[in-house]
Amino acid sequence: MDAFWNDDLATADPEIAAAIASELGRQRDKIELIASENIASRAVLEATGSVFTNKYAEGYPGKRYYGGCDYADVVESLAIERAKSLFGCNFANVQPNSGSQMNQAVFLALLEPGDTFMGLDLNSGGHLTHGSPVNMSGKWFNPVSYGVEQGSERIDMEEVARIAREHRPKLIICGGTAYSRLWDFAAFRAIADEVGAILLCDMSHISGLVAGGAHPSPFPHCDIVTSTTHKSLRGPRSGIILWNDEKFTKPLNMAVFPGLQGGPLVHVIAAKAVAFREALQPEFGAYAHRIVENARALAASLEENGLRIVSGGTDNHSMLVDLTAKDVTGKDAEKGLDRAWLTCNKNGIPFDTRSPFVTSGIRLGTPAGTTRGFGPAEFRTVGKLIAEVVEGLSQNGPEGDARIEESVRARVSELCRAFPVYPGM
Ligand SMILES: *Cc1c(COP(=O)(O)O)cnc(C)c1O
């Protein structure tokens, strides 16, 4: 048993330890531009890897189905209180294991199978859980989607109202994964009131900005707000549900447990509490505003270097780059940029004619780069580097221009060395 208690991971499992070490190297050496990713603090990582991984705590603080939950109660109560003060709402459920599960819980709590709901179309930047035909939300419920307008590539609230009047959805969802403009929560509220719908905001992507005051809050307009905690909010991989009206408390809590989940991930709840505490500090507001400032700098630099930004810019942390004019696919751009140590994902653009496996665009985000310390100057450089790689692909086809990619890689390395990630690890 000595080895069981004492061996560290490198001794106990060299293969997994090596993969983790390589992943740390990847996060250090490449520039992370995936809009849904971030770099959590050492404290968040430590809580996630804590002894709470051993604990069963089915139920809620003070009402558990297992003994020995005193400290689990401390952790979950702190997470709830901090989430409430962070987002200025009356109730919080911090148990959803993921973003998908938090949304499933809302559906389970409020809808019957077959009920009609509205969400942003996947092709316009919506999330799978907002009614995609391959997701449970689209298979067991009746999704009606709204999209962006062809010219402006923005959501047209008149059109949202028209669709809502026609279909009378029981639930309307605002929020998405690849929409870079502000959400008019008040206008969504008015539409929901008119058709008698419950209004849900899934603020997964922008919750860090909301917490830091760099994006309008979905409260008090939305009835229920869900969010992942690992994107701009910079916590562990997980989800939360927030609301103000007590009438939702029982259905939502019952939907999470016992409706969908068993024992909550107490170690992850502990890490969420840590992340919420971080987000309550004044520095977090500065970080959130910097994310937006950096996104504007990146978008401007890409445009100056000849790339088109969908909708002409961004109001948040993310943007879609349309590569159509360069005759480069999103798939090839993702691969070429990865060869140059710039990590991003291919993404469909509105009215994309290519398949989701190919696409005509890439999605870029600034949260991870902002966390490592990049400011507008660094992001302007990143925009220039991206444009160089894309130009190489445009000239030479999918294999790109090796000389350009090598030169970009050298400049990426320089930036990464100047802004180290987890220097003490
Ligand atoms: C990321 C995301 C989710 C899903 O989160 P997972 O933790 O990956 O399940 C749900 N909704 C939106 C809007 C998201 O961006």
Side-chain angles (χ1 to χ4, degrees):
M1 282 304 270
D2 251 21
F4 181 87
W5 299 121
N6 295 321
D7 279 2
D8 66 6
L9 184 62
T11 314
D13 192 333
E15 286 168 291
I16 293 296
I20 293 173
S22 300
E23 173 62 14
L24 174 59
R26 187 192 69 80
Q27 293 182 17
R28 282 178 170 156
D29 298 342
K30 298 185 176 182
I31 295 178
E32 187 57 71
L33 296 163
I34 295 178
S36 48
E37 292 190 12
N38 210 325
I39 306 164
S41 69
R42 187 159 183 171
V44 164
L45 296 188
E46 190 176 330
T48 311
S50 71
V51 291
F52 273 120
T53 204
N54 297 329
K55 188 67 198 112
Y56 245 112
E58 281 183 359
Y60 289 101
K63 300 179 289 276
R64 304 285 190 185
Y65 291 80
Y66 286 81
C69 286
D70 312 56
Y71 308 111
D73 281 4
V74 169
V75 157
E76 187 168 347
S77 302
L78 277 170
I80 290 169
E81 288 313 311
R82 290 172 183 175
K84 282 163 32 180
S85 52
L86 187 58
F87 293 108
C89 60
N90 296 333
F91 301 98
N93 187 308
V94 297
Q95 289 195 4
N97 296 336
S98 73
S100 298
Q101 273 162 289
M102 79 202 175
N103 287 340
Q104 285 163 18
V106 175
F107 279 65
L108 183 62
L110 304 175
L111 304 182
E112 298 294 329
D115 274 351
T116 298
F117 73 97
M118 260 173 86
L120 180 62
D121 193 83
L122 201 66
N123 299 320
S124 289
H127 190 258
L128 280 168
T129 57
H130 300 180
S132 154
V134 295
N135 185 267
M136 191 192 73
S137 59
K139 285 179 185 260
W140 292 0
F141 301 90
N142 176 36
V144 175
S145 52
Y146 56 92
V148 296
E149 209 181 28
Q150 192 131 25
S152 67
E153 296 168 309
R154 295 175 189 230
I155 295 165
D156 171 5
M157 294 312 295
E158 290 297 318
E159 182 64 4
V160 175
R162 189 193 63 71
I163 298 169
R165 283 181 202 121
E166 185 183 335
H167 295 278
R168 316 286 304 180
K170 204 159 157 185
L171 175 77
I172 297 177
I173 308 176
C174 51
T177 61
Y179 186 68
S180 57
R181 293 305 183 172
L182 294 183
W183 289 84
D184 190 346
F185 297 123
F188 271 96
R189 175 78 262 161
I191 294 167
D193 283 342
E194 188 191 326
V195 301
I198 294 166
L199 183 59
L200 165 68
C201 174
D202 177 352
M203 63 169 179
S204 289
H205 263 259
I206 54 172
S207 56
L209 307 185
V210 172
H215 188 288
S217 172
F219 287 120
H221 307 290
C222 300
D223 298 299
I224 299 167
V225 175
T226 54
S227 180
T228 51
T229 52
H230 49 278
K231 296 174 184 170
S232 56
L233 192 50
R234 210 165 59 181
R237 310 195 66 76
S238 199
I240 49 172
I241 308 175
L242 311 164
W243 64 99
N244 272 329
D245 191 330
E246 175 130 45
K247 76 179 179 197
F248 294 120
T249 299
K250 197 170 174 204
L252 287 171
N253 284 343
M254 291 281 292
V256 174
F257 171 84
L260 276 180
Q261 297 184 174
L265 309 178
V266 185
H267 55 305
V268 181
I269 294 173
K272 279 184 252 197
V274 173
F276 299 156
R277 187 176 195 275
E278 290 173 3
L280 283 161
Q281 310 310 311
E283 305 89 86
F284 195 87
Y287 148 82
H289 283 91
R290 199 129 201 258
I291 288 176
V292 177
E293 192 189 345
N294 284 342
R296 294 209 170 114
L298 176 58
S301 164
L302 290 163
E303 280 187 325
E304 281 159 27
N305 288 285
L307 295 175
R308 191 182 86 85
I309 307 298
V310 168
S311 85
T314 176
D315 298 321
N316 59 28
H317 65 299
S318 71
M319 67 211 69
L320 283 176
V321 186
D322 176 6
L323 304 169
T324 312
K326 296 282 170 190
D327 200 22
V328 173
T329 67
K331 184 178 169 210
D332 291 338
E334 179 190 304
K335 286 196 178 141
L337 289 166
D338 191 49
R339 290 192 295 269
W341 293 6
L342 294 155
T343 312
C344 70
N345 61 285
K346 63 176 175 289
N347 210 105
I349 54 168
F351 311 100
D352 207 323
T353 51
R354 293 190 169 104
S355 91
F357 301 103
V358 182
T359 79
S360 304
I362 50 172
R363 185 184 65 166
L364 303 172
T366 54
T370 304
T371 294
R372 78 185 295 168
F374 287 8
E378 286 74 32
F379 271 105
R380 267 192 293 275
T381 303
V382 169
K384 192 170 164 293
L385 298 179
I386 291 170
E388 285 182 31
V389 173
V390 169
E391 197 52 41
L393 292 160
S394 185
Q395 302 291 331
N396 292 348
E399 71 281 8
D401 183 323
R403 281 218 321 269
I404 292 180
E405 287 170 13
E406 194 187 326
S407 131
V408 169
R409 205 156 52 229
R411 281 171 287 163
V412 166
S413 284
E414 233 171 81
L415 275 174
C416 288
R417 273 197 302 275
F419 297 90
V421 165
Y422 301 121
M425 276 169 72

